[in-house]
Amino acid sequence: MKSKILELLRNTASDYLSGEAMSETLGVSRAAIWKVIHQLREEGYEIEAVPRKGYRLIHQPDRLSPDCLAPYLTPDNTFQPLIHFASITSTNDYAKSIALEAEEGTIVIADEQTKGRGRRGRDWHSPANQNIYLSLILKPDLPIHQVPLFTQMAAAAVWEALSPVLPGLTIKWPNDLLFEGRKICGILTEMSGEMHALHYLVIGIGINVNTTAEDFPEDLQSIASSLRIETGALLSRQKLAVNVIERLTQHYREVIKTGSFETALTVCREQSNLLGEAINIHSRDSVESARAVQIDSDGFLVVETASGIRRLSSGEVSIRKK
Ligand code: BTN
């Protein structure tokens, strides 16, 4: 009933809607309507109540719950179902815990993570109600060696969703989106499978939307940024999350239909901040100089080193300082 009442209030937008009209439309008592209005207010909805006129929706909270995302979603563009948490340890951890039974296309989204994880055992800074923390469960009938391509697919989708807001955003192979060298988004792809069979994939996406410079811990201030820091604007996480989901949907549909990741790879190549650059390849106890040449059709980074051409499937690379 909550989502129906919200829908009615949203549809009357600038006008008042009486409790009586709502109770007639929904076939419930006015007391029941009042109870839900009260509940919505507790959740952060600002609803004006004027005697003899009715209710009017003034402000909706920028939460990532299905109720809040509903006005922006089109029936045809979205992975389903959407599981929302106001706070969770890590959307990737939760997604993995349900992945075997979950429907393909399930999205886990949260307003806060208390144990957000990045690559290589790092933490992912995940304060409440500022950013987007999202994990997508996929079960494609594709061979395991194609898994790295899904990270490229996600990077392309996020770039397409965010670049209208922040032109100049670049993709750093394999899993980061940067603005002027600082990280705006990180992607963590995890999988379970055997040699020839993929059980599931979890693609975790963290986007720094409204975090301010002071909100970042000191050790991140020189390497991380947010859309708000770079644009000066407080942005709607809801609209951005829906755009990301929509772009992911389009790319994934194409991959399933054609078996090809070329559209996403083209975006990753064109927006890459590595290709053509002198880079360092970091391994556990050494750093090797190379030049980034191409991202190939398997999503590998082709590099030219002193000892010849090599393909990297994943790894830590950085642009060499001039
Ligand atoms: C990285 O750059 O190291 C990857 C960061 C990935 C962060 C996201 S936030 C949503 C999902 N849940 C997690 O715990 N991590 C990913």
Side-chain angles (χ1 to χ4, degrees):
M1 183 166 61
K2 195 166 82 182
S3 51
K4 289 211 174 102
I5 291 183
L6 264 177
E7 203 182 319
L8 289 176
L9 286 170
R10 283 187 188 122
N11 290 345
T12 31
S14 55
D15 214 352
Y16 291 90
L17 186 64
S18 72
E20 199 179 345
M22 279 198 265
S23 78
E24 267 170 29
T25 313
L26 301 176
V28 295
S29 69
R30 287 176 66 176
I33 301 280
W34 166 245
K35 218 168 130 190
V36 174
I37 298 280
H38 183 71
Q39 204 183 330
L40 287 169
R41 283 179 171 159
E42 302 246 287
E43 287 174 20
Y45 288 85
E46 228 178 280
I47 300 169
E48 187 189 16
V50 175
R52 283 182 295 280
K53 279 187 164 176
Y55 300 104
R56 194 161 66 106
L57 184 59
I58 309 253
H59 170 78
Q60 311 185 45
D62 189 31
R63 295 282 146 75
L64 299 176
S65 63
D67 272 346
C68 292
L69 297 184
Y72 305 108
L73 293 170
T74 61
D76 154 81
N77 74 6
T78 310
F79 286 115
Q80 294 286 349
L82 196 100
I83 303 172
H84 168 257
F85 292 94
S87 180
I88 183 108
T89 48
S90 148
T91 55
N92 262 36
D93 287 349
Y94 183 81
K96 287 200 293 181
S97 75
I98 60 161
L100 284 178
E101 303 81 45
E103 259 177 71
E104 143 112 335
T106 299
I107 287 185
V108 182
I109 196 162
D111 289 308
E112 175 185 39
Q113 293 186 124
T114 53
K115 282 197 183 132
R117 292 188 294 107
R119 289 202 312 156
R120 297 168 190 271
R122 294 181 191 128
D123 293 336
W124 183 257
H125 183 59
S126 309
N129 305 325
Q130 296 183 3
N131 304 321
I132 296 171
Y133 318 110
L134 175 159
S135 300
L136 169 63
I137 301 172
L138 295 179
K139 300 177 177 181
D141 190 12
L142 292 172
I144 266 187
H145 75 262
Q146 292 202 312
V147 167
L149 284 166
F150 285 91
T151 306
Q152 303 304 299
M153 181 191 88
V158 177
W159 183 87
E160 286 169 346
L162 303 190
S163 60
V165 173
L166 186 59
L169 198 62
T170 59
I171 301 178
K172 175 166 178 271
W173 181 93
N175 70 323
D176 292 340
L177 270 76
L178 308 183
F179 183 79
E180 292 177 354
R182 288 180 202 204
K183 188 144 151 174
I184 302 276
C185 165
I187 300 167
L188 177 65
T189 305
E190 301 183 281
M191 55 151 253
S192 158
E194 295 151 37
M195 276 286 274
H196 301 291
L198 186 60
H199 299 153
Y200 65 77
L201 259 179
V202 168
I203 305 176
I205 299 173
I207 303 171
N208 298 330
V209 180
N210 286 325
T211 296
T212 59
E214 311 77 65
D215 284 337
F216 276 114
E218 226 168 274
D219 56 326
L220 294 183
Q221 285 180 1
S222 60
I223 53 172
S225 189
S226 73
L227 296 174
R228 180 176 180 183
I229 294 170
E230 302 303 341
T231 62
L234 192 66
L235 294 159
S236 158
R237 292 184 305 141
Q238 294 165 346
K239 282 190 198 157
L240 290 169
V242 167
N243 288 348
V244 168
I245 293 170
E246 186 176 322
R247 295 314 309 150
L248 282 167
T249 310
Q250 296 304 332
H251 279 288
Y252 189 56
R253 279 198 187 139
E254 185 180 322
V255 164
I256 294 307
K257 200 166 142 203
T258 65
S260 159
F261 288 78
E262 273 310 308
T263 307
L265 286 171
T266 301
V267 175
C268 293
R269 290 175 190 130
E270 286 176 0
Q271 307 308 329
S272 169
N273 69 341
L274 290 185
L275 295 184
E277 298 290 330
I279 60 166
N280 286 327
I281 306 169
H282 303 261
S283 47
R284 193 176 302 182
D285 37 34
S286 67
V287 179
E288 191 182 1
S289 303
R291 200 173 64 83
V293 179
Q294 184 57 292
I295 297 168
D296 71 13
S297 57
D298 292 323
F300 285 42
L301 184 69
V302 182
V303 296
E304 192 181 353
T305 66
S307 54
I309 296 275
R310 276 222 320 272
R311 297 167 76 230
L312 309 178
S313 64
S314 68
E316 202 81 342
V317 290
S318 62
I319 295 184
R320 208 172 330 139
K321 298 223 165 62
K322 286 170 189 142

